[in-house]
Amino acid sequence: RITGAIEVYARSIEILAAAETPPFEVLDQVEANEELRMRYRYLDLRRRPMQRALEQRARFVTAVRNYLAGHDFIDVETPVLTKSTPEGARDYLVPSRVNPGQFYALPQSPQLFKQLLMVAGMDRYYQIARCFRDEDLRADRQPEFTQIDIEMSFVEEKQVLDTVEGMVVHGLLEGFGITVETPFPRLTYADALRRYGSDKPDTRFGLELVDISEIAKRSAFGVFSGAIAAGGTVRGLCVPGQADNYSRKAIDALTKHVGEYGAKGLAWAKITGEGVTGSIAKFFEGDAGAELISAMGASPGDLLLFVADQEPVVLRALGELRLRLGNELGLRDPKVFRLCWVTNFPLFLRDDDGGWVSANHPFTAPVDWNLEDFSDPGAIEARAYDLTMNGWELGSGSIRIHRRVLQERVFSFLGISPEEQQSRFGFLLDAFRFGAPPHGGIAIGVDRIVTLASGMDSIRDVIAFPKTARATDLMCDAPSGVSAEQLADLHIRSTAPAGG
């Protein structure tokens, strides 16, 4: 410990290694930009906040291992060089030298291997797994990341959720000294969207969405009634006590914000002792105003904000607006931790081209084990669940499909032909021929949970040697070119221009 109580008198000095002046001051509160810090990451890691984050991460992972080992889980390593299978992002491919023209894929997750371990009778598996996804990056994503990977046989959702809940509570306490409220609330996917406009809700504060579509339907305000007539919805937020704190200029900034998420505008009102004032006041006078105030649960001094459009646009715009208001009003305290389960996800969602894709992955079981009718794909519920904390998704899981016939039906609905099923997933389908137990599991992102628990803003701050937002390692200068001889050994010719 640094106490200042001991003085050292040197009789001689031996230089073990010479040191140049570092490119930035190695201080706890460093002012150097992130690019410079990442280029000299070994110097950045000398700072106490960085070392503390890695120490806490190590304690957390150790606590998780101890908890799972104490609950009869077996730590099993699965391959890193494997077969390319769809997991929702692009694979990182590795060419094979001894099998020209053939490629391995780095695993996006150990999903299929842990299911095969259930077929093998391992019953309770876990792994602190390294995973790789070639996707666009942001504060909570990296091309390589670490997850707590879990699978269990002969379980229903409750057993998985209860086990993970206990593990997370233990890990947060041992790793960070954080005590969290239990049991974690459990919201359905539909309720999470309805109340918070998000399937990863930040439940540290209220400001829940309110559906006023019935009132809007009868309204003389054409924007509201027109949205309902077009099959849309009208929903709003009541911001308590903020009527006088948001000027027209500030509301214009909020309007611009929701526009970034597809909303065509933001209607607003301020509540006084006399009723409704603001942009929609003339449409909500007398009884109409009283009905609106009652529906919104508003009181004098409150600010009301509304979006009218198709439901997906309204939910996303208001969900993002809610988070912005939470930040501006100081409601998202980084020292408060609220975890929440979101359950009953849809099995399929529309993609950008209007087709159907798996909401999670194609190995997730539907609620109906005898599912044969795919005539209304959007109405099919999955036995899937997510764990969220403070508005971040920590992990996703599900009860899996363990019956070959049902798995083939889901593949076929997704447009995967029988030939492609056998080519890409034949090893899994073949395993199901020999009897697979009902099983389910989850994967929890270590980087994300450590970031939040450490009070950091980015997962790069809790990873020893992270990549930039362009998936580059500035310290090692990776990725980089390789020699013509190396490419020749791999039977590869690059089409990229030299230096590109």
Side-chain angles (χ1 to χ4, degrees):
R1 292 188 303 166
I2 300 174
T3 65
I6 299 175
E7 293 186 8
V8 177
Y9 295 91
R11 293 189 176 90
S12 64
I13 296 175
E14 177 185 354
I15 298 176
L16 300 177
E20 298 179 5
T21 301
F24 59 87
E25 289 189 278
V26 182
L27 302 173
D28 286 358
Q29 301 300 321
V30 67
E31 295 184 1
N33 65 47
E34 186 178 49
E35 183 173 319
L36 185 63
R37 289 169 48 211
M38 291 184 69
R39 188 175 298 279
Y40 297 95
R41 187 64 166 183
Y42 41 84
L43 298 179
D44 194 37
L45 289 174
R46 290 181 179 178
R47 298 191 303 111
R48 185 58 193 150
M50 299 300 295
Q51 294 183 356
R52 186 185 305 115
L54 294 182
E55 290 166 1
Q56 291 175 325
R57 179 188 179 113
R59 288 199 300 269
F60 172 77
V61 171
T62 298
V64 164
R65 287 187 182 278
N66 291 339
Y67 181 90
L68 293 173
H71 286 75
D72 301 322
F73 282 82
I74 304 294
D75 183 358
V76 182
E77 294 178 343
T78 54
V80 172
L81 295 176
T82 183
K83 188 178 181 67
S84 178
T85 57
E87 294 274 356
R90 294 184 183 90
D91 288 322
Y92 279 103
L93 300 177
V94 180
S96 170
R97 178 183 60 82
V98 296
N99 298 283
Q102 303 295 306
F103 294 82
Y104 299 105
L106 301 182
Q108 295 187 33
S109 81
Q111 180 62 46
L112 299 186
F113 288 104
K114 66 181 180 179
Q115 290 191 244
L116 292 172
L117 286 170
M118 298 302 102
V119 178
M122 295 303 295
D123 283 3
R124 289 193 164 207
Y125 142 95
Y126 88 94
Q127 182 181 186
I128 308 299
R130 294 292 285 172
C131 303
F132 308 84
R133 294 183 185 177
D134 185 5
E135 59 186 349
D136 295 334
L137 306 183
R138 56 189 186 213
D140 61 350
R141 285 183 179 173
Q142 281 278 291
E144 53 181 315
F145 56 96
T146 305
Q147 66 185 33
I148 305 162
D149 204 56
I150 294 172
E151 201 76 10
M152 307 164 67
S153 288
F154 301 105
V155 291
E156 304 290 343
E157 289 88 337
K158 185 180 186 304
Q159 287 92 339
V160 179
L161 271 55
D162 287 349
T163 299
V164 173
E165 196 163 304
M167 177 195 76
V168 170
V169 168
H170 180 73
L172 289 174
L173 181 61
E174 294 294 315
F176 305 94
I178 293 172
T179 301
V180 292
E181 294 181 5
T182 57
F184 302 162
R186 299 183 183 184
L187 293 173
T188 66
Y189 171 82
D191 280 344
L193 291 181
R194 176 180 59 81
R195 294 173 58 183
Y196 301 102
S198 172
D199 60 4
K200 48 184 180 183
D202 187 341
T203 57
R204 285 174 293 181
F205 64 103
L207 298 187
E208 294 187 17
L209 280 60
V210 179
D211 189 345
I212 62 159
S213 295
E214 284 301 316
I215 295 174
K217 186 186 303 183
R218 305 188 302 272
S219 171
F221 184 33
V223 172
F224 281 7
S225 58
I228 300 300
T233 183
V234 180
R235 304 187 190 208
L237 295 172
C238 177
V239 192
Q242 295 300 315
D244 294 334
N245 296 331
Y246 275 81
S247 64
R248 182 58 187 267
K249 182 178 179 181
I251 293 174
D252 287 344
L254 299 182
T255 303
K256 182 178 179 181
H257 183 72
V258 296
E260 295 173 2
Y261 301 99
K264 299 180 182 67
L266 182 68
W268 60 276
K270 296 181 178 182
I271 307 304
T272 69
E274 287 71 44
V276 179
T277 66
S279 70
I280 62 173
K282 65 180 180 180
F283 303 106
F284 290 94
E285 298 174 337
D287 291 344
E291 185 181 16
L292 180 66
I293 292 170
S294 175
M296 295 297 296
S299 301
D302 292 352
L303 172 67
L304 306 184
L305 302 167
F306 303 95
V307 173
D309 211 310
Q310 296 302 302
E311 184 174 72
V313 172
V314 171
L315 292 176
R316 187 178 183 203
L318 284 178
E320 294 294 338
L321 178 61
R322 175 180 178 271
L323 296 179
R324 172 168 174 153
L325 291 167
N327 288 330
E328 292 181 355
L329 300 175
L331 302 175
R332 305 182 74 187
D333 186 344
K335 295 181 180 179
V336 173
F337 303 95
R338 293 287 184 270
L339 291 105
C340 176
W341 288 107
V342 179
T343 65
N344 298 86
F345 280 76
L347 191 64
F348 304 113
L349 291 173
R350 290 281 192 187
D351 63 13
D352 293 338
D353 298 323
W356 292 101
V357 295
S358 295
N360 187 357
H361 55 56
F363 317 108
T364 298
V367 170
D368 180 7
W369 282 111
N370 298 310
L371 180 66
E372 293 185 14
D373 183 7
F374 292 87
S375 60
D376 188 6
I380 302 173
E381 282 194 355
R383 300 185 67 180
Y385 34 82
D386 279 6
L387 179 62
T388 72
M389 182 164 78
N390 293 6
W392 282 28
E393 176 201 318
L394 296 184
S396 294
S398 66
I399 301 300
R400 322 299 188 186
I401 296 171
H402 66 281
R403 300 177 183 177
R404 176 172 178 143
V405 171
L406 179 55
Q407 185 66 81
E408 290 173 332
R409 285 177 187 154
V410 170
F411 282 155
S412 295
F413 173 75
L414 294 172
I416 304 173
S417 68
E419 294 75 22
E420 190 178 3
Q421 290 177 34
Q422 193 59 38
S423 170
R424 301 178 72 175
F425 308 106
F427 59 98
L428 177 70
L429 296 173
D430 288 346
F432 286 172
R433 291 169 48 208
F434 300 99
H439 57 279
I442 195 169
I444 303 293
V446 171
D447 310 304
R448 292 184 181 183
I449 195 169
V450 173
T451 299
L452 290 174
S454 301
M456 300 293 192
D457 296 322
S458 167
I459 64 174
R460 290 191 292 272
D461 293 327
V462 301
I463 297 172
F465 300 102
K467 305 291 190 293
T468 69
R470 290 181 56 82
T472 59
D473 183 335
L474 297 179
M475 184 184 69
C476 297
D477 189 27
S480 59
V482 298
S483 69
E485 291 77 12
Q486 287 174 290
L487 290 178
D489 283 344
L490 296 169
H491 309 278
I492 289 177
R493 180 182 301 153
S494 175
T495 61

